[in-house]
Amino acid sequence: MPSKMRAGIVGVGVGIPEQVLTNHDLERRLDTSDEWIVTRTGIRERRIAPPHVATSDLAAQAAMQALRNAGKTPDEVDLIMVATATPDMPWPATACLVQAKIGASHAAAFDLNAVCSGFVYALWVAAQAVETGAYRCVLVIGADILSRQLNWEDRSTCVLFGDGAGAAVLVPVEEPYGVLSGVLGADGTGAPLLQVPAGGTREPITPEVLAQKRHTVYMRGREVFKFAVTIMGEVSLQALEKAGIPPEEVSLFIPHQANIRIIQAAAERLNLPMERVFVNLERYGNTSAASIPIALYEAWEGGRLRKGDVVVVVGFGAGLTWGACVLRWAY
Ligand code: ACO
């Protein structure tokens, strides 16, 4: 009997702006300190996209690198999903702009918005598309330029985020490799905890909206923190149970890079030592949907992912949303 086909990641790539903004740079323009930011979050610096760069530019760069690493060409791609909360424009989808930029002329293309959980949402949806045989080469991209949606006078939010993109190429692979399980969730009653209130149909942009900066990120940080500390561990355990894998078999845990204290709490819940947890938030801050694919790329590039390793990716974000996938690394 032929073995079951799953969706496996066979190439990863990144698009990361060069400009670095350190905590010390922020100290010079805000009432904050490197010490406060590092102790509360773990973040030391973040990348900021220059004004002429849009989300699709970073996404296309990540996509091309992921395709090269997968040994695939753009015309082999049949589906592009871009997880983003900061599209180039309200419409068309950033995924269509990426499709044109990389010349993936045979690909369908759409965006998915689950904010910081976006990559995990897209990965799990894309895995179904590949497993059913409907698509054979899917580009899953997480890309955000949060720096354009921040109120740079609000120290409680602007120090947390950074810009970037990461991409993964998904193709059919034979068992036991590939995406083994996924769990996604949402609680829309938590929408007010973390949002960009204006700029959509509820509150279109007006001079008043701009003056009050309601087109920027609003966050009730402490409440988001409480939610995140619980959900990251819980959803990871649910996804592991669905895959039939005990937590002690996890080779590498790759959480959304928002806050080191949230990551440590999740690792504790799984009883995982920090050596098996990937952390790069000190260099990038929270890059929203890009944080997990950037981490995947750096883990792979740094030799921390080997074929057969059990990997858990887990995210949480505005919505509220959350999700985790368990993978057996396929390349
Ligand atoms: N520098 C110095 N002081 C600050 C700063 C800053 N950058 N920001 C806030 N403070 C002050 C506050 O004003 C407050 O002062 P007060 O006590 O005089 O009022 C004090 O520091 C403590 O503020 P808290 O908000 O209670 O600090 P807390 O320990 O909760 O840490 C933080 C704040 C880091 C934001 C934390 O709540 C957190 O990480 N929350 C989760 C945020 C998150 O992960 N968001 C991303 C979600 S993903 C997505 O979808 C976008």
Side-chain angles (χ1 to χ4, degrees), residues 22-37:
T22 67
N23 291 350
H24 296 293
D25 295 331
L26 288 168
E27 277 177 348
R28 286 190 279 277
R29 36 164 127 151
L30 278 170
D31 179 16
T32 190
S33 67
D34 176 58
E35 195 269 331
W36 191 95
I37 301 170

Side-chain angles (χ1 to χ4, degrees), residues 11-16 56-69 102 139-143 164-169 293-294 297:
V12 282
V14 290
I16 296 172
S56 69
D57 299 316
L58 298 180
Q61 197 185 332
M64 286 308 294
Q65 190 180 26
L67 286 171
R68 274 195 303 277
N69 286 334
I102 67 172
L139 257 175
V140 184
I141 304 170
V169 178
I294 291 174
Y297 171 83

Side-chain angles (χ1 to χ4, degrees), residues 56-57 60 63-64 74 80 82 92-109 139 141:
S56 69
D57 299 316
M64 286 308 294
I80 301 173
V82 175
T94 300
C96 294
L97 307 175
V98 172
Q99 189 241 30
K101 282 202 167 91
I102 67 172
S105 48
H106 302 118
L139 257 175
I141 304 170

Side-chain angles (χ1 to χ4, degrees), residues 32 36 40 115-116 155 194 219 221-222 225 258-259 286 317-318:
T32 190
W36 191 95
R40 300 289 172 124
V115 200
C116 296
R155 65 178 184 172
L194 182 52
M219 183 174 73
R222 225 173 284 180
F225 186 88
N259 185 312
N286 179 349

Side-chain angles (χ1 to χ4, degrees), residues 40-46 115-120 146 157 159-163 225 228 232 252-264 266-267 274 276-299 304 311-317 323:
R40 300 289 172 124
T41 72
I43 299 164
R44 292 182 186 277
E45 58 186 45
R46 68 287 291 141
V115 200
C116 296
S117 311
F119 182 81
V120 180
L146 250 300
T157 52
V159 303
L160 304 175
F161 298 97
D163 303 334
F225 186 88
M232 292 271 274
L252 196 60
F253 184 66
I254 305 191
H256 172 46
Q257 306 285 314
N259 185 312
I260 190 67
R261 293 182 293 148
I262 294 171
I263 292 176
Q264 283 162 344
M274 284 307 281
R276 279 195 263 160
V277 179
F278 191 85
V279 178
N280 64 3
L281 61 77
E282 68 282 2
R283 288 178 289 123
Y284 299 119
N286 179 349
T287 55
S288 188
S291 93
I292 290 174
I294 291 174
L296 268 175
Y297 171 83
E298 291 200 336
R304 290 185 68 183
V311 180
V312 174
V313 292
V314 57
F316 71 94

Side-chain angles (χ1 to χ4, degrees), residues 37-298:
I37 301 170
V38 173
T39 357
R40 300 289 172 124
T41 72
I43 299 164
R44 292 182 186 277
E45 58 186 45
R46 68 287 291 141
R47 301 297 180 95
I48 304 294
H52 64 276
V53 167
T55 302
S56 69
D57 299 316
L58 298 180
Q61 197 185 332
M64 286 308 294
Q65 190 180 26
L67 286 171
R68 274 195 303 277
N69 286 334
K72 298 275 177 197
T73 56
D75 56 79
E76 290 177 82
V77 177
D78 51 12
L79 180 62
I80 301 173
M81 289 167 63
V82 175
T84 186
T86 53
D88 283 30
M89 55 190 88
W91 50 272
T94 300
C96 294
L97 307 175
V98 172
Q99 189 241 30
K101 282 202 167 91
I102 67 172
S105 48
H106 302 118
F110 69 96
D111 287 359
L112 180 156
N113 182 353
V115 200
C116 296
S117 311
F119 182 81
V120 180
Y121 261 68
L123 179 64
W124 182 234
V125 173
Q128 314 310 301
V130 172
E131 237 183 68
T132 57
Y135 292 92
R136 296 196 58 81
C137 183
V138 183
L139 257 175
V140 184
I141 304 170
D144 270 308
I145 298 189
L146 250 300
S147 65
R148 306 259 161 87
Q149 282 185 346
L150 294 170
N151 172 0
W152 284 98
E153 287 161 12
D154 177 9
R155 65 178 184 172
S156 69
T157 52
C158 76
V159 303
L160 304 175
F161 298 97
D163 303 334
V169 178
L170 242 69
V171 302
V173 295
E174 275 186 24
E175 269 196 324
Y177 303 104
V179 181
L180 308 180
S181 72
V183 175
L184 305 178
D187 174 8
T189 65
L193 299 186
L194 182 52
Q195 60 180 193
V196 174
T201 53
R202 172 75 52 202
E203 278 188 59
I205 298 290
T206 60
E208 293 72 37
V209 159
L210 293 177
Q212 291 164 13
K213 296 204 158 57
R214 289 183 58 76
H215 60 300
T216 63
V217 173
Y218 278 64
M219 183 174 73
R220 297 196 336 228
R222 225 173 284 180
E223 287 157 88
V224 175
F225 186 88
K226 268 192 216 149
F227 150 75
V229 158
T230 315
I231 203 70
M232 292 271 274
E234 285 308 311
V235 71
S236 301
L237 288 173
Q238 287 167 18
L240 281 163
E241 196 182 341
K242 205 171 155 191
I245 293 182
E248 58 271 22
E249 282 181 27
V250 174
S251 318
L252 196 60
F253 184 66
I254 305 191
H256 172 46
Q257 306 285 314
N259 185 312
I260 190 67
R261 293 182 293 148
I262 294 171
I263 292 176
Q264 283 162 344
E268 260 168 47
R269 184 77 181 81
L270 270 71
N271 218 1
L272 281 179
M274 284 307 281
E275 300 84 71
R276 279 195 263 160
V277 179
F278 191 85
V279 178
N280 64 3
L281 61 77
E282 68 282 2
R283 288 178 289 123
Y284 299 119
N286 179 349
T287 55
S288 188
S291 93
I292 290 174
I294 291 174
L296 268 175
Y297 171 83
E298 291 200 336

